[in-house]
Amino acid sequence: MINNNNINGNINTTNNSTAKPKKFPLKELKFDPMIGLTNIGQTCYMNAVLQCFSHLYHITNYFLNPSKEAFINDTKTNRNQNEPTLSILYKELLEGLWKGEPKKSFSPDKFQERLGVLNPLFKKNNASDSKDFACFLIMQLHEELNLLDGAISC
């Protein structure tokens, strides 16, 4: 069996069965179509990973779920109140991508600025590696969200 994503977000299954194509899970979010990210100076590595991660249904649904908003915002309790955590900025970024005005790009400048503070490898105008960024983002989000209750429950 071979799966191919078509332009409408449907998954086509090519085999001898007559199964109907399955809808891409993010269509269930019922938000406006996703928009692009602005390249703010050598951030292609970051934008590529963020676009990929934004299509991970369970994670995106977790961050955009209104019932999780207070929990995500509470990640500030163990941090400096004046500096938003990366998890809060990631939530805002996802809102910009999935709830933003269609056909306009979203600038990840706040996210990128905080990222550079947390890890000098990702300071503004530094070219970096997608794999390094993806690993750092996963570990940072995991650490921030685990601070409150010891586990993420979806």
Side-chain angles (χ1 to χ4, degrees):
M1 180 176 6
I2 300 170
N3 289 331
N4 297 315
N5 288 337
N6 72 13
I7 197 159
N8 296 321
N10 292 329
I11 300 173
N12 295 330
T13 306
T14 54
N15 62 12
N16 293 335
S17 74
T18 58
K20 293 182 179 180
K22 297 177 185 177
K23 281 294 205 181
F24 187 66
L26 284 174
K27 298 290 184 187
E28 296 170 13
L29 290 174
K30 297 180 182 170
F31 299 134
D32 289 333
M34 194 178 87
I35 58 176
L37 288 168
T38 305
N39 188 345
I40 53 175
Q42 299 198 29
T43 57
C44 296
Y45 71 92
M46 180 183 78
N47 290 355
V49 170
L50 292 172
Q51 290 281 11
C52 290
F53 280 19
S54 75
H55 283 79
L56 298 173
Y57 173 73
H58 292 292
I59 295 172
T60 297
N61 191 48
Y62 177 86
F63 276 92
L64 296 181
N65 184 337
S67 69
K68 301 291 183 189
E69 186 170 342
F71 177 77
I72 293 167
N73 288 337
D74 280 347
T75 60
K76 279 188 172 182
T77 58
N78 293 331
R79 306 264 191 239
N80 181 341
Q81 293 291 328
N82 297 325
E83 298 178 12
T85 61
L86 202 62
S87 54
I88 290 170
L89 295 172
Y90 184 69
K91 177 186 182 309
E92 290 174 6
L93 186 137
L94 289 173
E95 288 171 343
L97 284 173
W98 288 101
K99 297 179 181 181
E101 188 177 332
K103 300 184 182 176
K104 296 242 179 176
S105 64
F106 180 79
S107 179
D109 53 343
K110 290 180 188 175
F111 180 88
Q112 198 282 324
E113 184 179 316
R114 184 69 186 142
L115 180 66
V117 169
L118 293 171
N119 189 328
L121 282 175
F122 308 118
K123 284 191 182 237
K124 194 169 187 173
N125 294 320
N126 283 353
S128 196
D129 182 70
S130 294
K131 179 186 74 71
D132 293 342
F133 170 65
C135 291
F136 178 78
L137 179 60
I138 290 168
M139 302 249 312
Q140 186 68 29
L141 294 176
H142 176 76
E143 179 184 313
E144 288 178 10
L145 295 174
N146 265 347
L147 285 176
L148 296 174
D149 69 351
I152 296 173
S153 57
C154 292

